[in-house]
Amino acid sequence: MSAETSAAPGQFAQRRQQFRAWRGTRPFWAGLFVLLGGFPIMYFPYAHLKLGNLTLAMSTTAGAGSLIIGVLLVVLGISLWFQKHVRVFAGVAAILLALVSIPVSNFGGFVVGFLFALIGGALAVAWAPGAEPQPEPPAEAAPAEGGAPEAAPLLDKDLGGAGELNDLSGTSPANGANGRHSAG
C-alpha cells in the first residue's frame, strides 16, 4: 500500500455527500459570511503594515471594541452552523454588530468585514428550513399505447329536469364540471 492512498476508494465521495447533507439542513453560507466578517474587524485595529522601511500602525483606542465585535461575529457564525434555531437572533445581532463596527473599527474592517457580516446576517434572517421530502406514491399504470383515452360516463346530475344537459358555459366536458374550473 502506498502513501498516496490514505482513504478507501469512494470514501471521499461519501464524506462529501455527508457534508452536503449536513450543510443543506442549516444556514451554512450565512454562518460562513458572518464568521469571515469577524476576522477583518478583529485584525485591522491591531495590524502593522510595512511599506518598505515605513511602518504604518493602524491601532486605535477602540481596539478592544473591535476585538469584542470580531469575536462576537465569529461566535455568531459558528452558532449559525451548530444551533440553527437561533438563526433570526444571530442574523439580527450580526447586522447590528456590522453596523456598530463602522465607527468603532476602521470603517468595519475597511468595509470588507462590514459587508461580509451584513450579507451573512441577512442570509441568516432569510434562511428557512426546508420541508422533509415526502415519499412518492408508486406510479399508476400507464394507459395502453395507441388507444384513445376513455370518456367518463355522463353523470345523472348533468341532466336537467327536462332531460337536457345542465350546461351553463356552452360546453359539455366529460368530467361533469360544466366548463367550471376549480382552483385546486
Side-chain angles (χ1 to χ4, degrees):
M1 181 162 223
S2 70
E4 294 176 9
T5 57
S6 62
Q11 187 176 9
F12 175 75
Q14 179 185 5
R15 296 281 184 200
R16 195 172 130 250
Q17 291 298 325
Q18 288 174 345
F19 175 70
R20 179 182 267 176
W22 176 82
R23 188 185 70 195
T25 60
R26 59 201 72 246
F28 176 78
W29 293 108
L32 185 66
F33 275 109
V34 171
L35 182 81
L36 290 177
F39 289 121
I41 291 173
M42 277 190 297
Y43 174 73
F44 287 129
Y46 295 103
H48 297 288
L49 294 177
K50 287 202 165 259
L51 301 171
N53 291 334
L54 180 66
T55 301
L56 179 64
M58 293 183 287
S59 59
T60 62
T61 57
S66 299
L67 183 64
I68 290 170
I69 290 172
V71 167
L72 284 174
L73 284 172
V74 169
V75 169
L76 287 173
I78 292 172
S79 70
L80 281 170
W81 285 346
F82 297 106
Q83 301 290 326
K84 61 184 173 184
H85 59 278
V86 298
R87 65 178 176 81
V88 175
F89 168 75
V92 170
I95 291 170
L96 291 175
L97 286 171
L99 291 172
V100 168
S101 75
I102 291 174
V104 170
S105 70
N106 297 332
F107 295 107
F110 292 119
V111 183
V112 175
F114 164 72
L115 287 177
F116 275 141
L118 193 68
I119 290 170
L123 286 173
V125 171
W127 184 82
E132 292 291 325
Q134 300 295 328
E136 295 183 18
E140 296 180 15
E145 290 185 34
E150 298 178 14
L154 187 61
L155 300 174
D156 289 337
K157 68 178 183 175
D158 290 336
L159 295 175
E164 55 191 53
L165 287 175
N166 187 7
D167 190 5
L168 300 176
S169 64
T171 61
S172 180
N175 63 5
N178 288 337
R180 296 181 297 253
H181 299 287
S182 65

